[in-house]
Amino acid sequence: MKKLLYGAAYYDEYMPYDRVEKDMEMMEKAGMNVIRIAESTWSTWEKEEGKFDFTSLHRMLDAAKRHHISVIVGTPTYAIPSWLCDKADDMLALTHGGPGIYGHRQNMDITNPIYLKYAERMIRKLMEEVKDEPHVIGFQLDNETKAYDTCGPRAQAMFVERLKEKYPDIEAFNHEFGLDYWSNRVDDWAHFPDIRGTINGSLAAEYAAFQRDLVTEFLGWQEAIVKEYAREDQFITQNFDYDWDERTGGLGLQPEVDQFAAAKHVSIAGCDIYHPNAQDLTGAEITTLGNISRGLKKDNYLVLETEAQGNLGWLPYPGQLRLCAYSHVANGANMVEYWHWHSIHNAIESYWKGVLSHDLQENETYRECAIVGNEWKRIGAKLVNLKKKNKVAVVADARSNTGLIQFPMETRDGHGYNRVLRWICDSLHRLNVEFDVIPAREEELGRYQVVILPALYSATESFLNAINDYVSKGGNLIATFKSGFADEHLKIYADVQPHIIHRALGISYDQFTFPKEVGVTYKGKRGEASEWMEMVSTEGAHVLSAYDHSVWKKYAAATVHTYGKGHAMYLASYFSTAVLEEMLCDFLRAIEWNEPEKIQVVANYPVVVKQGINDEGNHIVYLLNYSNQEQYVKLPDYEGIELLTEAKVQPGDDICVKPWDLCVLCYEEA
Amino acid sequence: MKKLLYGAAYYDEYMPYDRVEKDMEMMEKAGMNVIRIAESTWSTWEKEEGKFDFTSLHRMLDAAKRHHISVIVGTPTYAIPSWLCDKADDMLALTHGGPGIYGHRQNMDITNPIYLKYAERMIRKLMEEVKDEPHVIGFQLDNETKAYDTCGPRAQAMFVERLKEKYPDIEAFNHEFGLDYWSNRVDDWAHFPDIRGTINGSLAAEYAAFQRDLVTEFLGWQEAIVKEYAREDQFITQNFDYDWDERTGGLGLQPEVDQFAAAKHVSIAGCDIYHPNAQDLTGAEITTLGNISRGLKKDNYLVLETEAQGNLGWLPYPGQLRLCAYSHVANGANMVEYWHWHSIHNAIESYWKGVLSHDLQENETYRECAIVGNEWKRIGAKLVNLKKKNKVAVVADARSNTGLIQFPMETRDGHGYNRVLRWICDSLHRLNVEFDVIPAREEELGRYQVVILPALYSATESFLNAINDYVSKGGNLIATFKSGFADEHLKIYADVQPHIIHRALGISYDQFTFPKEVGVTYKGKRGEASEWMEMVSTEGAHVLSAYDHSVWKKYAAATVHTYGKGHAMYLASYFSTAVLEEMLCDFLRAIEWNEPEKIQVVANYPVVVKQGINDEGNHIVYLLNYSNQEQYVKLPDYEGIELLTEAKVQPGDDICVKPWDLCVLCYEEA
Amino acid sequence: MKKLLYGAAYYDEYMPYDRVEKDMEMMEKAGMNVIRIAESTWSTWEKEEGKFDFTSLHRMLDAAKRHHISVIVGTPTYAIPSWLCDKADDMLALTHGGPGIYGHRQNMDITNPIYLKYAERMIRKLMEEVKDEPHVIGFQLDNETKAYDTCGPRAQAMFVERLKEKYPDIEAFNHEFGLDYWSNRVDDWAHFPDIRGTINGSLAAEYAAFQRDLVTEFLGWQEAIVKEYAREDQFITQNFDYDWDERTGGLGLQPEVDQFAAAKHVSIAGCDIYHPNAQDLTGAEITTLGNISRGLKKDNYLVLETEAQGNLGWLPYPGQLRLCAYSHVANGANMVEYWHWHSIHNAIESYWKGVLSHDLQENETYRECAIVGNEWKRIGAKLVNLKKKNKVAVVADARSNTGLIQFPMETRDGHGYNRVLRWICDSLHRLNVEFDVIPAREEELGRYQVVILPALYSATESFLNAINDYVSKGGNLIATFKSGFADEHLKIYADVQPHIIHRALGISYDQFTFPKEVGVTYKGKRGEASEWMEMVSTEGAHVLSAYDHSVWKKYAAATVHTYGKGHAMYLASYFSTAVLEEMLCDFLRAIEWNEPEKIQVVANYPVVVKQGINDEGNHIVYLLNYSNQEQYVKLPDYEGIELLTEAKVQPGDDICVKPWDLCVLCYEEA
């Protein structure tokens, strides 16, 4: 990337009247330089079967060109025209909820060959229209792709074929999946029962993994088509989205996609990151979800969607939109693109508001965009391509996510895994410990001083052994409750828990319960245990905190252990964040965690510090104030420049960061 | 009407043993003079296909005649016999919830020609039996008629035909409904997708409007049949019911029926009004729902159903049943009929209790009925046909109701529109401002000094222009948030909000959010904002209250504006009632609201004052005490009579209204 | 029984590796002497149609034999193999929720002849394998059998046939069920509508009774088969389970089975009893549910399942597992068997933990089992076959249970009946009044000094007359609200309430409501009324407490009445337990309730006293401490032995019962 990209999804198709020239002019004036188009409106491009009409497409492309705006073109395959739906009885996915009904997006069966045939033609037609446009800088494959819980006969047959290959001996299959239970044995692949009825969590999880693989295959199929047309200078991306919380938006790892696997089919990772604003803005989603995206290709990423005004209740306070835009970039994003430019006048997302309100005029949000856009025109070249070298890694794992969906903790909303992930990641965010997110692969471990396993419920023995090895050689491990409990098929390990890593951790347990009125106290801070508590006994480890409870006090809530050259902390229960942060701090201090390649800044949340190296080799340090109070931060021991004001900053001075505002420090050397 | 009607729905068919003579005797003794019969029991009248048996019907008619009781006969078409259900596979409506199953009432497909054929025969047979009975005073068409969410192929085909006629150009249709969104375009009417899947709020709303029109047509069809038999002196009515709250009963405007349109097929409006009792009785439902009914024909109306003992938890305190009976009449009702005479011994409504309990003996409720009935025999002629001339009108609109169902506020129960309607109407009730309820029709406006628009979300431009015109000529407007936001197809207006009427209001806004810890303070009273807040800027208006919030304080929560000769108040958020009432009072004072044709009474809630002119031209003034404390009210400046005690009352005296009791004042002139 | 049985359900089939020898060795070491096998795993025994493989079965039998462990063999018919499911389209029950899907247990149609044919062959094959094993001591028919809400065409046809027989005159049927209501009449049995749609509570209840009868017939059918093989010394049992509360486990009478009727097909009653532990353990479930089981055959019973570690949150505190084991035996159980021996490594019940955790090693739970098992080896012969002669009986009734499901109180979870049952039974438990549970049969009454009717909603006239007769002859009655309200078809009685027994009770009412801020005060204790309140007037009874409410104070919340030689107390509302216990105490004192055949012990909850006569004619008295505090109890006036310590105890001494611990006193004479 040569510059930061800043823009919005744009839909000429949705406009109540012809606006495209006016809109592009407004964007340009606001310093915006990119739009994403076309991903939602197959029926606009192919109004009837085989009758293509790209009037609106070219209108957008032409206007964008006139206003120096780059374009990302999305393949419009995630929402099908009504005429296509009529082509097959099984065009829509049969799901656990039964057959689908036309109207919604993202409900077709992505294994349907008729769908694929028409989708391919649509993609090819579109690519032909746009491929030679110089300002088309990249392509987005489909959008927020999933398998949409397809459970139709074809998909189930594919699943059974896969099992057959994996288990030539059906007895071995029955044994690994424990199918004697409740008389569920499968003795003939030909009579495999409808997966939708299963009460076997292992089988359900295997099907979920199969559905995730369908997504990877589907994206690979699209990638191959798009690559036939794409120029060298055009990127291919996908809009990966996250597990969703109705109240707060993006929550954590998407359970329906193996994003680490699927990312091989894109040249740059893309994502959408939605989060609360106003009094609820903390920056935690930008950090955690952004770190997942940065981890997919181990590189900068594109925020393909984030809110401008967003959902009701998300309207940002003045300053917050700009603070968030910088937070994305500070976290390694090379683009911030709003969903969407204009608020829509009909249909289900009319109250998910864009940059412009329904009146399509300049408003407070637009004016704040314009500040960002014009600042980035000025200083964006110093901010783009920010590289990070973090020493802390958090392991995020799709199978463990499924594990806690199949066997939920008391947080019975199916989000248990991500609640634990966020418990850890949000604490790191507030402690100003920047971290990477990595998959559960052995080769990832060596690069980090600290590896954290939040509820790594499902893990292979080889990975668990690698963890032990990592610690014994000097690595530092933090593992939470429910880690290492089951194998890759959610079969619970039948020996000492946590399986294998109990050695690195120096603890074990064989019982657990739901905590009622159980406290966890550490250094005078008392928190409540909730959701889960394991009855941990030490085998060499030091107890950081025993449960504060008349009966359960003999068990440990948190421990540390020295194992070989490394250290390992175990968190046996989900307890209050304040206590967790205290323990994390002490652990990092004890292992002499340090990042000599980074600029040292002492600051506490609500000031969030993010940094990295830019293309010129400078250290860029962001001080982001997530509060409505002024915050003072002592500057690092170097001379540098505050880029927004272009003022020189002196070592050791105090700098004031205004409410919901930020400073961007640039140091030539550290 | 010559007299007040007082009675109950009666079901000889349901009786565990022959009771009809005893029951009519008890009714007569209690002063009851009307029953409603026959509307629920088609299978009793036509036990087998074509075999009619009216034994029970004549038993009721004969006994009623002997005891001087008038009869309203309902056509029994809202619950079909099981044998009829078997006549067609699509006899029951296919709905958003799927196919129906026999057993419940109100689930047939009212567009089914076989249903209509059998229903017509049934109606004709019944009419022949009863038409010549002198004490049959009127007919009820069906009961609480709806379209029962019919979405079968036939109904959907009718809907598409209607669209075709409305939109000869399918492109215009696609544009107005915004169907490019999510690839939902319809390019061939022949391939119109199943409406049940749509995510397009405009399309869903159009279908809801179509379903409401089916109701109007169905009632018209029945009216035509019944009119062939009805005598001049017999009225035709329908039991219109209201949007329903599981906890409190009748809530507000019925979203499934356009009652203002449907009312053309009846000669007198009828309704059911259910409400809480005991500690929760306020009279607000009797006022608001009754005012809707009075508005349908701009005339007196019939309360065809209200509770005697009612649902569990609704058992009235002593005095409340009588207080409510008078409240209905004070509001313009000419009949109060309980649902129902006796509590039912089998089936789903056994705990919806009637006047009599299951033991079928005199009980407290019966004894209180007898007080009412005998009082009305004495003074009813002075109370019947009460005419009101109100200066305040509240606009109630079916399409706006649908609008807030399709795009709900945080009150996510689908009742958002009626919550706002009740927010306004209940405040007027407590302020003793009597009001009419009118549809959103231009010709209605001129008659009123004040017109109120609660969340008139969906409005035509012509109506909004008429509102501006009304104000500029001296009318006074009160509009709430979400008014004038979308057109008649729920397409959001793409210019300054609120569309068009922002001129009369002297305000505008382009952003809104969900309020968290936002206050609205007015004259020292502080309330919480909830559900919704618009970021209102004034353009000529005076700010009554800015939001009490560190960031949003620059926006107005409530404003007033002088526009031409009139005034306009805007309420930009849903806030505490105490604050609203203060603002309403001040607005009325400021515009010098007055009703010189009425008797001036100064009284505060819990005393509710209702008044009107009777057949003799007297002013009848009710003082209704909705509390368990005695209330003292200073009497108006006229000599008159308290009708219950027949005592003379002197100007300026204090009169005591006992707990859950009332006074009825009669003044010859004012 | 010669000895107490102590063990666990055992599943060699589920083991991740060959464990059976190790497991039996561990059991034997822990003093365990029984396992239950085979009831869940038809697909293990008949892997393919007609191919039987009993390897695993014999492995279990052989290992058990080697370790002196008795075996109960369950017929594996409650969970069918997938291949069997494919044999018929209607193999799974069509229910109110629609068609089933394979995977879950307990969802087949037990009226399906193909199912029955294959089940019979399976049972016979299994019986042939095990019948001659000397250590197979008994058989369990199926498991937790229900009709699984079968509503398929075959079942419905059977139901209609039954109605036809019962009602040769269809008019009588229509009348009794009140089918004129909402036009629901059935005029031709051939056109009986789908029962699943009915809104007629009487009809729904009749179908529920029919489904219960299907269970009884099904168990009779299995009994006949098993009897062909069973030896004289082998018992036949069934695992009866209870109405289920998601949070607390076993709640009360099972609504889907008429256990009193079904018990005729077993030689000894069996049951599962699940309950909370830790801070929530009270012993109430062990008492109430155990008393139901003891009542089925009026004899000792088997606890076929109870939790070891159980569900998350049920992990017992140290001591609780042992306390509960003794509590079962003290209540009349002759066996305590855990579900299950080992925690399962795959599938839906993996977190319903057994004695062993997933690591299959000795743990705290196992060690506590070993204490119990070895104590019972020592003293079990004195504890087994404990006989009780109680003077208090609580009537439990399946039709009344259904009645409160069809017409729920505000406890709208379908458990209303059992909430009232538990309100009574838990109070007796805490008051140390041991009681029997009996069905609503006239011949049961005479044996008791006190008979209690908790919400006996549905009752025949003959039973109600028998109640009056019982009281008049000197019996003592306690009845709660909603008793005697409806007949056996839930048709509400159409005269004075409570029907017939109002005479014995000396009260009547004809109205009721939901109490809001209504108190019930008795002897200075004030409780809140909730759920329900009847407006009771006395007709000879003495008012114990009038409602504490400004309006409703004229009605009684509780009354007592002398009727003939007996006394009758009525409880007109559901109020706080503390008030109820006070009233129960006073009632028992007033009627001079005494049990001269028992040992008199003065102790208050949390000490629970249970006693009976053992095989040697000794009085065994348990002092069970359900608290985490030491409790001191004054010993009875006899010399005896404390069996656990083998210490002699002296009359009048204080004995200390440790937290969650117990004493077992043995007296040769009383």
Side-chain angles (χ1 to χ4, degrees), chain A residues 5-26:
Chain A
L5 295 172
Y6 189 57
Y10 188 79
Y11 303 100
D12 178 62
E13 313 90 292
Y14 297 172
M15 284 295 168
Y17 56 91
D18 186 359
R19 287 272 312 177
V20 69
E21 186 64 29
K22 170 76 180 164
D23 285 328
M24 296 297 138
E25 185 186 312
M26 286 177 78

Side-chain angles (χ1 to χ4, degrees), chain B residues 610-648:
Chain B
K610 289 177 186 279
Q611 60 178 289
I613 311 285
N614 71 6
D615 282 344
E616 299 164 9
N618 296 150
H619 289 258
I620 305 295
V621 179
Y622 290 83
L623 307 176
L624 306 151
N625 179 1
Y626 277 94
S627 80
N628 58 3
Q629 306 291 327
E630 291 186 348
Q631 304 292 333
Y632 289 84
V633 179
K634 185 178 277 299
L635 288 170
D637 288 336
Y638 308 95
E639 290 195 350
I641 293 169
E642 202 290 317
L643 292 175
L644 295 166
T645 56
E646 296 182 4
K648 286 196 178 163

Side-chain angles (χ1 to χ4, degrees), chain B residues 255-456:
Chain B
E256 297 180 53
V257 181
D258 184 347
Q259 297 185 343
F260 289 104
K264 69 185 170 203
H265 296 302
V266 300
S267 58
I268 182 167
C271 64
D272 63 17
I273 297 180
Y274 291 103
H275 53 78
N277 283 314
Q279 65 288 327
D280 300 323
L281 178 64
T282 65
E285 291 82 9
I286 294 173
T287 295
T288 302
L289 308 180
N291 287 359
I292 295 175
S293 280
R294 202 182 59 241
L296 297 184
K297 303 293 287 187
K298 296 192 197 306
D299 205 346
N300 300 102
Y301 58 99
L302 307 176
V303 176
L304 282 155
E305 294 186 13
T306 188
E307 75 255 26
Q309 300 182 65
N311 243 329
L312 189 67
W314 289 0
L315 186 69
Y317 289 164
Q320 291 187 333
L321 181 122
R322 174 169 165 271
L323 174 64
C324 290
Y326 278 97
S327 298
H328 288 296
V329 170
N331 206 65
N334 270 346
M335 175 170 87
V336 174
E337 206 181 45
Y338 298 107
W339 197 86
H340 39 352
W341 171 249
H342 85 290
S343 301
I344 301 175
H345 299 81
N346 296 89
I348 200 173
E349 288 182 317
S350 289
Y351 283 85
W352 195 301
K353 293 181 71 194
V355 174
L356 300 192
S357 296
H358 295 102
D359 64 358
L360 306 175
Q361 302 304 309
E362 291 189 10
N363 61 8
E364 289 288 314
T365 303
Y366 172 82
R367 284 185 279 271
E368 196 162 316
C369 287
I371 293 169
V372 176
N374 286 297
E375 282 177 350
W376 288 4
K377 273 162 73 172
R378 179 163 56 86
I379 63 171
K382 291 188 182 304
L383 308 183
V384 71
N385 298 325
L386 195 74
K387 300 302 175 198
K388 289 176 184 281
K389 285 181 190 159
N390 293 324
K391 294 289 195 65
V392 174
V394 173
V395 174
D397 180 62
R399 284 185 180 264
S400 297
N401 197 343
T402 299
L404 271 73
I405 290 170
Q406 287 299 319
F407 300 103
M409 299 189 303
E410 286 291 304
T411 0
R412 288 193 186 282
D413 55 0
H415 297 302
Y417 176 79
N418 282 320
R419 300 277 176 220
V420 183
L421 184 78
R422 289 290 297 272
W423 183 57
I424 294 293
C425 293
D426 288 20
S427 293
L428 295 174
H429 168 75
R430 280 187 302 269
L431 293 173
N432 278 319
V433 176
E434 288 198 81
F435 60 95
D436 289 350
V437 176
I438 59 172
R441 293 181 195 150
E442 301 160 36
E443 64 271 23
E444 300 277 354
L445 303 176
R447 294 188 291 119
Y448 296 97
Q449 193 184 352
V450 181
V451 167
I452 308 181
L453 312 180
L456 187 74

Side-chain angles (χ1 to χ4, degrees), chain B residues 13-16 40-44 47 78-82 86 101-105 279-280 309 312-313 315-318 344-349 351 353 357-359 363 365, chain C residues 175-178 180-185 187 191 193-194 196-197 199-202 407 457 482 485 490-495 510-514 516 532 535 549 551-552 554-555:
Chain B
E13 313 90 292
Y14 296 172
M15 284 294 168
S40 294
T41 48
W42 185 340
S43 82
T44 306
K47 289 190 166 59
Y78 89 124
I80 64 172
S82 53
D86 289 344
I101 185 165
Y102 182 81
H104 222 285
R105 61 178 175 179
Q279 65 288 327
D280 300 323
Q309 300 182 65
L312 189 67
L315 186 69
Y317 289 164
I344 301 175
H345 299 81
N346 296 89
I348 200 173
E349 288 182 317
Y351 283 85
K353 293 181 71 194
S357 296
H358 295 102
D359 64 358
N363 61 8
T365 303
Chain C
H175 184 74
E176 173 63 14
F177 285 80
D180 284 275
Y181 177 81
W182 283 3
S183 201
N184 271 194
R185 288 177 56 85
D187 274 77
H191 296 125
D194 190 337
R196 296 179 301 158
I199 47 75
N200 185 295
S202 292
F407 299 103
Y457 183 77
K482 288 191 94 58
F485 201 72
L490 302 195
K491 191 179 193 76
I492 296 171
Y493 285 116
D495 61 0
D510 55 23
Q511 300 194 311
F512 40 76
T513 193
F514 181 80
K516 273 200 181 174
W532 192 265
M535 281 32 191
H549 182 271
V551 170
W552 304 130
K554 64 179 171 174
Y555 297 114

